[in-house]
Amino acid sequence: MKLAAIEGNTQRLDGGAMFGNAPRAVWSKWVEVDEQNRISLAARALLVGFDDGLKVLFETGIGAFFPPKLRARFGVNETEHLLLKNLGEQGLSHEDIDCVVLSHLHFDHAGGLLTPWQEGEESQLLFPNARYIVSTEHWQRALQPHPRDRASFIDTLSKLLIDSQRLELVDSDQQSILDGRARVHFSNGH
């Protein structure tokens, strides 16, 4: 198999929230903050090309689906969908991907599934030839989010995934996916 890290859109989020119960004096030695106390975060997807031609993308990052006001709030500087651009540098388009595996459905991991924002248009699902694999527990969390992470989910994404008829839910005790090519382990959180 061939592995490639594919850069996606970047974002800036509150450093205190990202580092948890650690004082800024400690973590700011390693990372710069902006005037809003946000740190820069990269989003990388893992592209796996199997010897038999199967192309699998693990995660999609934040993408470019946010309208300008939310893009500014979450510090997404790019309006272009960088994951798609960088897949192109690998000689691929989103239509070439056979499967997308998502750890969970927060916008910073699954937003890259959606077309870039355009005034007056609804986001559409990308990767039209791919199966979408998500754990059953994380799928249920997306459908009935906890109040603390409700804002981290994309309202329209669940319906788009269902309507695609290509959503595959993996039970937490099921560890083999992709016809035995990969093993997964369920965990809560990032």
Side-chain angles (χ1 to χ4, degrees), residues 54-71:
L54 185 75
K55 294 170 196 68
V56 180
L57 195 62
F58 288 84
E59 306 286 65
T60 63
I62 196 166
F65 76 97
F66 276 137
K69 185 176 178 180
L70 289 175
R71 195 171 61 237

Side-chain angles (χ1 to χ4, degrees), residues 74 85 105 115-116 161:
F74 292 105
K85 176 185 177 231
L105 294 170
T115 54
L161 288 170

Side-chain angles (χ1 to χ4, degrees), residues 19 21-31:
F19 285 102
N21 193 19
R24 178 178 170 171
V26 172
W27 56 260
S28 64
K29 294 175 186 175
W30 300 293
V31 64

Side-chain angles (χ1 to χ4, degrees), residues 104-173:
H104 62 290
L105 294 170
H106 283 172
F107 65 75
D108 58 330
H109 291 254
L113 289 175
L114 300 173
T115 54
W117 179 83
Q118 291 197 355
E119 180 74 46
E121 292 188 25
E122 293 292 321
S123 293
Q124 299 299 313
L125 203 55
L126 295 167
F127 307 98
N129 300 310
R131 299 178 289 154
Y132 306 101
I133 297 178
V134 179
S135 79
T136 301
E137 289 187 45
H138 284 298
W139 176 253
Q140 292 303 318
R141 180 72 175 250
L143 295 178
Q144 298 175 332
H146 188 279
R148 282 183 288 182
D149 69 349
R150 182 179 319 264
S152 296
F153 292 101
I154 304 165
D155 290 337
T156 59
L157 184 57
S158 297
K159 181 175 179 351
L160 290 170
L161 288 170
I162 290 169
D163 290 348
S164 77
Q165 299 183 347
R166 291 177 280 119
L167 175 65
E168 293 182 20
L169 300 179
V170 178
D171 292 328
S172 60
D173 62 348

